[in-house]
């Protein structure tokens, strides 16, 4: 699904020398590399505060802790996403409220958010799923109307641009009150282990979060808030520093691969290609143009509409082509998160997508020969 070795070969000398420098310095935790990466990512995102941490799940949890949410507060998020998004809500004894998604973008449906708001609602967590920006115009408007926090889950969307209706362009992760991301190795900006970060433009919130990630300390052995131990180590930071200047190139390479995939699948019955939902793309939504920077294609996800998705998975595996089903079970049906409040009739899109979606290999090193082989294998099967 990803070619981390091929990507590494392009930056090998810089990565190897930087890791060696960290080892020689022995500044493994909160060393200069961490602080340098923090500043460089702040500049890239045009956000006031980046607080690195140990992983993306911690980043989500710490963001919620920083907002002072209390047990029983309701947090609305998408039913069609990875479990980490709802996992941290439950861990903090908050109440997850799962809602359906849009069939084209796979992102949380703003109309479903509106219907789910109650007096106990305190926050919305939009996920920029598969690298596609959520509808932040509507989400921020809903949040403002109801005095809610917006926590962006940007684990799959780093580097994407969102153009507001008023023409302003902002990087995802710099839009909501606070945001989280993951630097898991397969992410668009990934390290060689676990890593994550929290973003915010709120000075007071950033101060609180900086204490939380370090055992609640601002001064050594003075614990002012309840915290956790969640820090990005220096070796991972130096790898991320090597990759960050290439992030736009990486995302452009993913978009180029996605464009080739979609062109090959155009007009093929039973295949629905990803749509680009950004309002600053001047082409048809089913066409990925050179200016589509609102989708960074963390995954390239098709919908197979002839009830043969699982057979296609087996066919691809038989032909040595990796693929993934993200996600085969909706969160509202997971044993850990089942709740009598949920009605199957409230999740028609999610319940459809789990039977149709399939993600094809997507990474910065995909070449034309690989894409031709993958698309031909898919088309030959679908046309049987």
């Amino acid at each position: 699904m990803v070619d981390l070795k091929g990507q590494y070969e392009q930056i090998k000398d810089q990565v190897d020398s930087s890791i060696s420098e960290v080892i020689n310095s022995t500044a493994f935790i909160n060393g200069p590399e961490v602080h340098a990466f923090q500043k460089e990512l702040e500049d890239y995102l045009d956000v006031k505060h980046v607080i690195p941490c140990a992983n993306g799940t911690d980043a989500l949890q710490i963001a919620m802790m920083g907002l002072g949410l209390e047990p029983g507060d309701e947090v609305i998020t998408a039913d069609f996403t990875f479990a980490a998004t709802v996992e941290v809500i439950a861990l903090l004894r908050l109440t997850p409220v799962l809602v359906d998604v849009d069939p084209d973008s796979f992102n949380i449906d703003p109309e479903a958010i509106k219907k789910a708001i109650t007096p106990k609602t305190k926050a919305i967590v939009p996920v920029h799923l598969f690298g596609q920006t959520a509808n932040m115009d509507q989400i921020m408007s809903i949040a403002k109307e109801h005095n809610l926090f917006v926590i962006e889950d940007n684990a799959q969307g780093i580097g994407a641009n969102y153009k507001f209706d008023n023409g302003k362009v902002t990087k995802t992760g710099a839009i909501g009150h606070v945001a989280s991301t993951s630097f898991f190795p397969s992410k668009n900006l990934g390290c060689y282990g676990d890593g994550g970060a929290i973003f915010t433009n709120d000075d007071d919130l950033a101060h609180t979060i900086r204490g939380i990630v370090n055992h609640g300390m601002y001064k050594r052995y003075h614990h002012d808030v309840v915290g956790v131990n969640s820090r990005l180590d220096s070796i991972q930071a130096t790898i991320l520093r090597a990759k960050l200047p290439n992030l736009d190139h990486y995302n452009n390479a993913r978009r180029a691969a996605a464009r080739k995939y979609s062109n090959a699948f155009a007009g093929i019955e039973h295949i629905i290609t990803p749509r680009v939902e950004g309002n600053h793309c001047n082409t048809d939504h089913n066409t990925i143009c050179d200016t589509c920077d609102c989708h960074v294609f963390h995954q390239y996800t098709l919908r197979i509409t002839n009830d043969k998705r699982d057979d296609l998975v087996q066919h691809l595996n038989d032909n040595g082509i990796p693929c993934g089903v993200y996600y085969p079970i909706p969160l509202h049906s997971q044993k850990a998160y089942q709740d009598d409040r949920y009605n199957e009739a409230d999740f028609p899109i999610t319940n459809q997508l789990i039977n149709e979606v399939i993600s094809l290999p997507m990474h910065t090193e995909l070449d034309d020969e690989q894409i031709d082989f993958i698309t031909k294998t898919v088309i030959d099967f679908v046309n049987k």
Side-chain angles (χ1 to χ4, degrees):
M1 292 293 286
V2 295
D3 181 9
L4 296 176
K5 182 68 178 295
Q7 188 186 69
Y8 164 68
E9 292 295 338
Q10 303 300 315
I11 54 174
K12 182 180 186 299
D13 291 344
Q14 182 181 356
V15 168
D16 290 355
S17 63
S18 297
I19 290 175
S20 180
E21 289 175 10
V22 171
I23 293 172
N24 286 328
S25 75
T26 70
F28 298 118
I29 302 294
N30 281 339
E33 291 296 315
V34 176
H35 299 295
F37 171 65
Q38 172 187 321
K39 179 63 170 63
E40 288 160 5
L41 189 54
E42 287 170 348
D43 291 343
Y44 175 81
L45 295 171
D46 193 22
V47 68
K48 290 178 69 175
H49 304 284
V50 167
I51 302 99
C53 64
N55 57 71
T57 306
D58 278 4
L60 263 177
Q61 177 175 324
I62 292 162
M64 294 182 191
M65 292 172 69
L67 292 172
L69 302 179
E70 298 181 352
D73 287 348
E74 293 179 353
V75 179
I76 298 173
T77 194
D79 187 39
F80 187 66
T81 187
F82 182 59
T85 311
V86 69
E87 181 178 61
V88 297
I89 299 172
L91 283 171
L92 293 173
R93 297 172 59 203
L94 308 171
T95 301
V97 178
L98 299 170
V99 301
D100 211 3
V101 297
D102 176 83
D104 295 322
S105 71
F106 306 144
N107 284 322
I108 193 167
D109 181 355
E111 292 303 315
I113 294 173
K114 293 177 184 178
K115 294 176 183 177
I117 293 172
T118 76
K120 293 183 178 180
T121 306
K122 294 296 186 294
I124 306 167
V125 184
V127 182
H128 302 299
L129 197 69
F130 303 153
Q132 169 87 274
T133 56
N135 190 330
M136 297 305 292
D137 266 297
Q138 290 194 43
I139 291 168
M140 296 305 293
S141 177
I142 293 167
K144 183 177 181 180
E145 179 182 352
H146 296 275
N147 195 29
L148 306 176
F149 293 117
V150 173
I151 306 161
E152 288 180 81
D153 184 338
N154 201 35
Q156 299 184 15
I158 194 163
N161 286 323
Y162 184 82
K163 184 177 181 181
F164 286 89
D165 291 341
N166 63 8
K168 180 182 178 182
V169 178
T170 305
K171 292 286 187 190
T172 55
I175 301 170
H177 299 91
V178 65
S180 66
T181 201
S182 166
F183 301 127
F184 188 77
S186 64
K187 302 300 186 189
N188 295 38
L189 179 63
C191 54
Y192 294 162
D194 270 320
I198 305 109
F199 318 140
T200 185
N201 285 305
D202 185 315
D203 296 340
D204 293 336
L205 179 57
H207 175 74
T208 300
I209 288 172
R210 286 197 179 95
I212 292 173
V213 300
N214 191 32
H215 297 290
M217 293 189 296
Y218 301 99
K219 181 180 179 181
R220 194 164 178 81
Y221 301 124
H222 292 252
H223 303 274
D224 294 350
V225 296
V226 175
V228 297
N229 176 23
S230 185
R231 296 169 296 201
L232 181 69
D233 72 70
S234 298
I235 287 178
Q236 303 306 333
T238 202
I239 293 162
L240 291 166
R241 288 193 71 197
K243 286 190 172 187
L244 181 58
N246 298 303
L247 179 55
D248 288 342
H249 166 70
Y250 293 158
N251 287 340
N252 286 334
R254 287 171 176 268
R255 279 189 283 263
R259 187 160 53 246
K260 292 171 184 176
Y261 272 140
S262 290
N263 288 341
F265 292 131
I268 303 297
E269 189 177 9
H270 304 305
I271 295 179
I272 300 176
T273 57
R275 286 167 61 94
V276 176
E277 293 296 303
N279 61 3
H280 57 309
C281 180
N282 295 320
T283 65
D284 179 84
H285 285 310
N286 287 318
T287 302
I288 303 165
C289 70
D290 291 336
T291 60
C292 290
D293 57 0
C294 49
H295 198 324
V296 294
F297 287 96
H298 175 62
Q299 301 291 348
Y300 181 88
T301 303
L302 298 173
R303 292 173 59 189
I304 305 299
T305 61
N306 61 354
D307 296 323
K308 293 186 178 180
R309 189 274 313 278
D310 292 345
D311 294 333
L312 175 58
V313 170
Q314 184 62 53
H315 180 69
L316 292 176
N317 289 337
D318 291 344
N319 283 273
I321 298 172
C323 60
V325 175
Y326 311 120
Y327 298 93
I329 304 172
L331 291 177
H332 78 268
S333 296
Q334 297 283 0
K335 184 177 179 180
Y337 307 113
Q338 288 177 349
D339 195 296
D340 291 341
R341 293 173 298 136
Y342 298 136
N343 186 326
E344 290 298 327
D346 294 329
F347 304 101
I349 303 304
T350 295
N351 288 336
Q352 180 179 2
L353 292 176
I354 62 171
N355 294 309
E356 295 181 349
V357 293
I358 181 171
S359 296
L360 301 180
M362 173 52 69
H363 53 81
T364 58
E365 312 307 310
L366 276 173
D367 59 35
D368 289 349
E369 183 179 359
Q370 291 170 324
I371 292 172
D372 289 345
F373 176 65
I374 294 166
T375 55
K376 183 178 185 302
T377 305
V378 171
I379 292 168
D380 286 349
F381 176 84
V382 171
N383 283 340
K384 280 198 304 186

